[in-house]
Amino acid sequence: MQRSLTFNIFRHNPQDPASVPHMDTYRLDETDSMTLFIALHRLREEQDPSLKFDFCCRAGVCGSCAMVINGRPGLACHTKTRDLPATITLLPLPVFKLVGDLAVDTGTWFRAMYQRTESWIHTRAEFEPAAQEARMENEVANAIYELDRCIECGCCVAACGTANLRPDFLAPAGFIRVARFAADPRDERTDADFYEIIGSDEGIFGCMGLLACEDVCPKHLPLQNQLGYLRRKMGLTVLKKLLPFGG
Amino acid sequence: MQIIHTDLLTIGAGLAGERCAIEVAGAGFSVVCLSLVPARRSHSVAAQGGMQAALGNAIMGDGDSPDVHFLDTVKGSDWGADQEVARMFVEAAPIEMRRLAHWGVPWNRVVAGTHTYWKGGKPFDATEKAENHGLIHSRAFGGTAKWRTCYASDGAGHAVLYTMDNRAAQLGVTVHDRSEAVSLIHDGETCHGAIVRCLRTGELRAYLARATLIASGGYGRIYRASTNAIICEGTGLSLALDTGVAKLGNMEAVQFHPTGTVPTDILVTEGCRGDGGTLLDRDEYRFMPDYEPDKAELASRDVVSRRMIEHMRTGKGVQSPYGEHLWLDIRHLGEQHIRTKLREVDEICQNFLGIDPLHQLIPVRPTQHYSMGGVRTDKTGAAYGLKGLFSAGESACWDLHGFNRLGGNSLAETVVAGGIVGRNIAEFLQGYDTAFSTAHVREAATRDEARIGRIVSGADGKESVYAVREAMYDILERAAYVFRNGKDLTWGVQALQEVHERAQHIGLASDGVGANAELALAIRMPGMVRLALCVCHGALMRTESRGSHTREDFPERNDRDWLNRTLASWRPGADLPHLDYEPATSYVELPPGDRGYGGGKIIPAAS
């Protein structure tokens, strides 16, 4: 039987001085294969054109449409209404600056993250157009790709206890970025170099181990594994620094 | 109003825009990229397949060369491509793939030894050479003589875009995201930058630039059903068109893919049909063999799309809340095959449609997929008509793809063209000086401010922007879809002219304050209808069938009269684009001939 869905949606327009944060309620009849992408667009086009939310690829690859769906951060594009109760509560992701209603500014946060982690290959090698490419083992290429799959949706950041408490925390998305470059033989940075980026409470040692990041990652990235791996590696780096025979 | 100065302003920060930006920033110039979304969310990220480049490392690519890539590309274009551009592209592509590897793209690599590969649903063994171990691998794509497509697992677009954006950050390229250009600042001869609306606050800013690049992607979203990201609304193209002097090339050349899913138009791979999937109608009857007895579902993309539409027109489509569609059936391929070889399709079905393709049919329909048309440029990437204006990537008609693009050539074009056009822009900027007139900036800003004010206040009327858009969708769906004919196109042009008039009277239902999506669409809408008119009018005038452009009333490819490119411009106050034509290519390396697939009669060029 067709359900009537009730949507409780957070509303606030920071550009409008008269706007007060509140929740609005909407109703919509459910259709086959309905996703939150379809539902939110119908609400905006049929009921309330002032509704603000972000979508881009609507296919789970760009990360635009992350929001808190019935208490849990997730991508709205591949959330099917039939997997939710008839009452659906939508909130913007915490941590990020609010653009309006369900839209948040992830771009600024992630740009700062990749400047901070220097998210590019550090190499002294020059590119030679006439030369054959440097060889790489396919297994290594696949391993890098597996860590490179983060879509910067911000779900892990929003679900992170530390990131919610301290704005300077690099958060899981930052750590997996560092792990991606640490795994890449083309990047000449040493463990000591990476320690400079993540060896602090704003970095890897600030994690409280609540494990929510990996639970909510829509790409199922091994966020906790990589964090554990980096922590051990950074621990060893400190040890080496302290010991007289260390490097 | 804030005024920002830069050497190069890039409208769009996907692969083409950032590749250009990197080249120009690397030459020591300042660059600002505008992007509707954070740069890494650009539609480039969605490309899964890969990039064609004749590296010839894989055993199935043995003997490949830029010459073979050139032949495939020009044939694929149905001889609509500029052959000089195709030549430059195929020569540069291998170098660009290696450069991307150097910058950090985790391309899949050749592993020496014997491997089992798949072709046409059947496994076969092939042995990769020991001397190629560790070099960039490639996979098969339709319409290519060799395996030539470099790939990074199932996310080539993602891997390359992230690497590109990293490189741009390293070089200090500035990206202003959530920013949308609403008009170009120009004096009819020279482009001076753009008036830009902040999509966070709604404020207007002026960007003054010595060079301006349009790299805003395709215009797929003028159609209701498109595999494109929802930001691909062709705004960069309409900015160029609205100057009255720049021209758009081959706007009627629009590629459709047979198996976009319903409702959200996500693509499921051709591999479903390649491996033995069938198309069924509302009675679950397999209709393709009736139309194409030999190839059935395995006919080329454009042929299958045509047959599906034909069949739906006989009343055999499935009705749904999201419109009419047909079914794709892969149930008989079995659990083992679907869950492993077609894993991506399985995931799309489960995650987005909520169906299990093991037991359920997949709703599909032909869906807009790629825009061959775009801002017409010369081979250096310079736009016709305005000095200092350039274009690259899907937004450009450079023209690599002619009337049909090959898989794997679009993603490659973004990077290869981006590199070539970027170097040309850097050269252009050397020693180039221009004078910015504050009057031009003020005029443009005042005009845009006034237009936006009238939309917000409803001064010109209360037309709903969504109703206008639906009307445009309906017309394009009937007149300028997979099949075109004179009667429907004539009606379509006239109906779109009426919609264009309605688009001048849009008024908001909301307040339009801040990051208001209704207002953003209302600002774009008249330009989108003008693009639709360029498609429809161009298609009406082109009385032949070439590549993706299929006229039921003119089924032949007519090289005698139509071996040319349509150029559309929009004169101030007009209600129809002005069309003129130029030869498809001035440099002929490969004279027009049979493509070797797709069938169809050819009226030869007069010798």
Side-chain angles (χ1 to χ4, degrees):
Chain A
M1 208 183 87
Q2 196 183 44
R3 292 192 302 174
S4 170
L5 303 175
T6 302
F7 290 87
N8 295 315
I9 298 180
F10 176 84
R11 304 300 309 273
H12 178 47
N13 185 356
Q15 297 302 318
D16 178 0
S19 171
V20 178
H22 65 284
M23 301 296 285
D24 275 346
T25 301
Y26 303 90
R27 282 199 173 73
L28 205 57
D29 287 335
E30 191 172 32
T31 47
D32 284 344
S33 306
M34 186 182 252
T35 60
L36 288 181
F37 168 76
I38 295 168
L40 282 166
H41 277 85
R42 277 191 54 193
L43 288 177
R44 178 153 76 197
E45 292 174 18
E46 295 166 14
Q47 299 186 28
D48 186 349
S50 72
L51 205 52
K52 296 169 191 64
F53 50 80
D54 287 329
F55 283 94
C56 180
C57 76
R58 55 83 184 90
V61 293
C62 84
S64 292
C65 62
M67 55 184 70
V68 178
I69 304 158
N70 282 356
R72 189 184 169 90
L75 294 184
C77 69
H78 73 186
T79 300
K80 296 175 290 295
T81 54
R82 75 161 201 222
D83 296 335
L84 299 171
T87 300
I88 299 166
T89 301
L90 302 176
L91 296 163
L93 289 187
V95 181
F96 303 99
K97 189 177 171 191
L98 186 74
V99 172
D101 302 342
L102 302 174
V104 294
D105 183 0
T106 47
T108 302
W109 193 96
F110 277 96
R111 195 158 60 231
M113 182 275 275
Y114 63 76
Q115 293 291 353
R116 193 164 148 198
T117 58
E118 298 193 4
S119 162
W120 50 83
I121 298 278
H122 289 55
T123 177
R124 279 157 297 176
E126 287 289 320
F127 175 68
E128 292 176 40
Q132 203 172 47
E133 63 270 26
R135 290 169 198 262
M136 180 183 267
E137 287 301 319
N138 195 48
E139 281 174 19
V140 175
N142 280 329
I144 297 167
Y145 177 76
E146 284 305 309
L147 301 175
D148 200 37
R149 288 169 52 247
C150 168
I151 56 172
E152 300 192 348
C153 62
C155 286
C156 64
V157 182
C160 170
T162 311
N164 274 279
L165 292 173
R166 51 189 309 166
D168 56 359
F169 188 53
L170 197 50
F175 303 140
I176 195 124
R177 180 60 47 82
V178 171
R180 180 249 176 269
F181 286 98
D184 196 325
R186 292 168 291 198
D187 196 314
E188 293 166 0
R189 277 179 285 186
T190 62
D191 288 351
D193 293 330
F194 288 122
Y195 186 86
E196 292 301 315
I197 303 170
I198 57 171
S200 65
D201 280 355
E202 297 88 65
I204 209 93
F205 301 117
C207 169
M208 299 189 286
L210 300 176
L211 308 181
C213 53
E214 193 162 326
D215 287 349
V216 300
C217 175
K219 304 305 273 188
H220 309 294
L221 290 170
L223 296 168
Q224 283 298 324
N225 252 350
Q226 289 303 316
L227 186 126
Y229 170 74
L230 287 175
R231 240 185 196 174
R232 279 196 303 280
K233 212 167 146 111
M234 292 302 110
L236 283 171
T237 309
V238 177
L239 215 57
K240 277 187 195 166
K241 275 189 179 171
L242 295 174
L243 297 172
F245 49 83
Chain B
M1 188 173 62
Q2 193 186 4
I3 297 180
I4 294 159
H5 287 265
T6 180
D7 292 318
L8 172 65
L9 175 69
T10 296
I11 298 172
L15 279 176
E18 288 207 325
R19 182 68 190 87
C20 275
I22 286 167
E23 207 57 46
V24 173
F29 297 105
S30 65
V31 184
V32 176
C33 294
L34 303 174
S35 183
L36 298 174
V37 291
R40 291 169 191 236
R41 310 222 193 284
S42 304
H43 187 46
S44 305
V45 86
Q48 294 177 334
M51 296 187 173
Q52 279 204 50
L55 289 161
N57 296 328
I59 191 66
M60 297 300 289
D62 211 24
D64 200 8
S65 70
D67 291 341
V68 186
H69 190 183
F70 176 84
L71 291 181
D72 286 344
T73 301
V74 176
K75 278 185 188 175
S77 81
D78 224 352
W79 278 269
D82 183 318
Q83 295 192 20
E84 197 178 359
V85 164
R87 181 43 80 180
M88 285 193 317
F89 166 78
V90 297
E91 299 286 345
I95 299 169
E96 286 297 326
M97 297 312 122
R98 294 183 181 124
R99 193 192 312 270
L100 291 172
H102 182 75
W103 285 348
V105 172
W107 292 124
N108 278 55
R109 301 293 180 133
V110 173
V111 178
T114 304
H115 302 272
T116 301
Y117 294 122
W118 290 73
K119 200 171 185 181
K122 291 197 180 72
F124 67 96
D125 285 342
T127 305
E128 299 294 348
K129 292 177 187 169
E131 71 256 35
N132 287 347
H133 183 81
L135 298 178
I136 299 171
H137 203 3
S138 45
R139 57 162 56 144
F141 254 53
T144 66
K146 302 281 180 186
W147 288 23
R148 188 187 296 129
T149 306
C150 308
Y151 65 105
S153 298
D154 57 354
H158 175 97
V160 178
L161 183 65
Y162 272 50
T163 298
M164 196 69 79
D165 195 45
N166 284 339
R167 179 74 185 166
Q170 183 185 2
L171 291 177
V173 169
T174 307
V175 178
H176 288 179
D177 66 15
R178 288 185 185 266
S179 296
E180 176 164 19
V182 291
S183 71
L184 294 178
I185 302 167
H186 69 100
D187 56 13
E189 283 172 11
T190 307
C191 184
H192 290 138
I195 301 292
V196 175
R197 185 167 170 269
C198 174
L199 299 178
R200 290 180 175 83
T201 63
E203 284 163 357
L204 290 187
R205 300 189 292 255
Y207 287 71
L208 293 179
R210 292 197 291 144
T212 304
L213 173 80
I214 294 175
S216 57
Y219 48 90
R221 285 284 164 179
I222 64 172
Y223 287 88
R224 177 180 283 121
S226 169
T227 63
N228 290 188
I230 60 173
I231 52 170
C232 299
E233 296 183 307
T235 41
L237 278 73
S238 34
L239 301 190
L241 189 67
D242 288 352
T243 62
V245 278
K247 297 185 177 198
L248 304 183
N250 281 348
M251 290 294 285
E252 64 272 32
V254 179
Q255 191 178 68
F256 296 86
H257 197 287
T259 54
T261 58
V262 181
T264 44
D265 309 305
I266 300 165
L267 197 68
V268 295
T269 173
E270 245 169 81
C272 291
R273 284 172 291 131
D275 292 353
T278 56
L279 291 164
L280 307 180
D281 66 15
R282 118 187 139 177
D283 306 322
E284 300 196 14
Y285 171 74
R286 187 181 169 205
F287 58 91
M288 276 305 294
D290 295 351
Y291 296 98
E292 299 284 332
D294 291 339
K295 294 209 153 177
E297 282 85 356
L298 298 179
S300 63
R301 259 182 207 186
D302 49 340
V303 173
V304 177
S305 295
R306 280 174 219 144
R307 295 312 191 190
M308 290 168 75
I309 299 278
E310 245 179 290
H311 197 64
M312 284 196 278
R313 281 178 182 173
T314 68
K316 295 290 186 183
V318 183
Q319 301 299 330
S320 85
Y322 309 104
E324 212 173 341
H325 64 77
L326 292 161
W327 300 114
L328 174 65
D329 185 8
I330 59 170
R331 295 174 299 187
H332 51 285
L333 300 181
E335 177 161 12
Q336 216 261 333
H337 190 93
I338 293 173
R339 302 278 199 247
T340 56
K341 300 292 172 200
L342 296 172
R343 191 173 66 185
E344 200 186 288
V345 176
D346 189 29
E347 283 174 7
I348 289 169
C349 289
Q350 311 257 8
N351 288 344
F352 296 93
L353 306 175
I355 63 164
D356 181 352
L358 263 187
H359 307 293
Q360 287 168 286
L361 299 171
I362 309 168
V364 293
R365 66 183 162 207
T367 300
Q368 192 284 342
H369 183 55
Y370 188 78
S371 316
M372 270 79 71
V375 178
R376 177 63 185 144
T377 70
D378 64 16
K379 65 180 177 184
T380 72
Y384 283 20
L386 269 184
K387 192 176 181 187
L389 182 65
F390 298 82
S391 185
E394 193 174 347
S395 63
C397 180
W398 185 34
D399 169 358
L400 175 65
H401 308 300
F403 275 80
N404 180 57
R405 169 184 69 76
L406 291 188
N409 260 358
S410 57
L411 201 60
E413 185 197 17
T414 60
V415 172
V416 177
I420 292 172
V421 175
R423 279 190 290 282
N424 291 332
I425 293 174
E427 204 171 287
F428 167 83
L429 287 169
Q430 302 282 353
Y432 168 73
D433 288 303
T434 186
F436 298 117
S437 145
T438 54
H440 286 138
V441 178
R442 193 183 61 243
E443 275 164 30
T446 310
R447 183 197 59 222
D448 291 338
E449 247 163 31
R451 184 164 89 86
I452 292 167
R454 296 179 77 79
I455 294 171
V456 174
S457 67
D460 293 329
K462 289 302 279 178
E463 280 283 359
S464 150
V465 65
Y466 299 113
V468 169
R469 193 186 59 179
E470 291 302 311
M472 175 183 74
Y473 285 162
D474 288 342
I475 297 164
L476 285 179
E477 220 161 74
R478 181 171 145 196
Y481 223 64
V482 175
F483 276 117
R484 292 110 187 249
N485 64 64
K487 184 168 157 269
D488 286 340
L489 285 166
T490 305
W491 165 82
V493 168
Q494 199 197 340
L496 280 171
Q497 285 177 306
E498 287 163 20
V499 172
H500 187 238
E501 179 57 31
R502 284 174 63 190
Q504 316 301 317
H505 301 285
I506 291 169
L508 297 192
S510 63
D511 60 8
V513 176
N516 183 289
E518 188 192 19
L519 176 57
L521 182 62
I523 294 169
R524 279 174 221 145
M525 203 63 234
M528 287 169 70
V529 183
R530 285 194 279 277
L531 296 183
L533 269 161
C534 290
V535 173
C536 225
H537 190 43
L540 173 63
M541 291 298 131
R542 184 170 286 274
T543 50
E544 65 153 358
S545 293
R546 183 181 299 272
S548 66
H549 170 69
T550 308
R551 283 287 297 258
E552 293 167 293
D553 41 356
F554 295 95
E556 300 87 10
R557 189 183 92 199
N558 184 343
D559 289 346
R560 186 188 62 211
D561 304 318
W562 290 103
L563 194 56
N564 61 18
R565 179 175 303 107
T566 308
L567 298 175
S569 53
W570 201 283
R571 294 169 174 180
D575 60 356
L576 205 60
H578 172 79
L579 302 184
D580 52 308
Y581 296 89
E582 65 177 9
T585 186
S586 48
Y587 161 89
V588 181
E589 196 178 319
L590 187 68
D594 183 21
R595 287 161 96 192
Y597 54 89
K601 249 184 76 185
I602 299 170
I603 299 173
S607 53

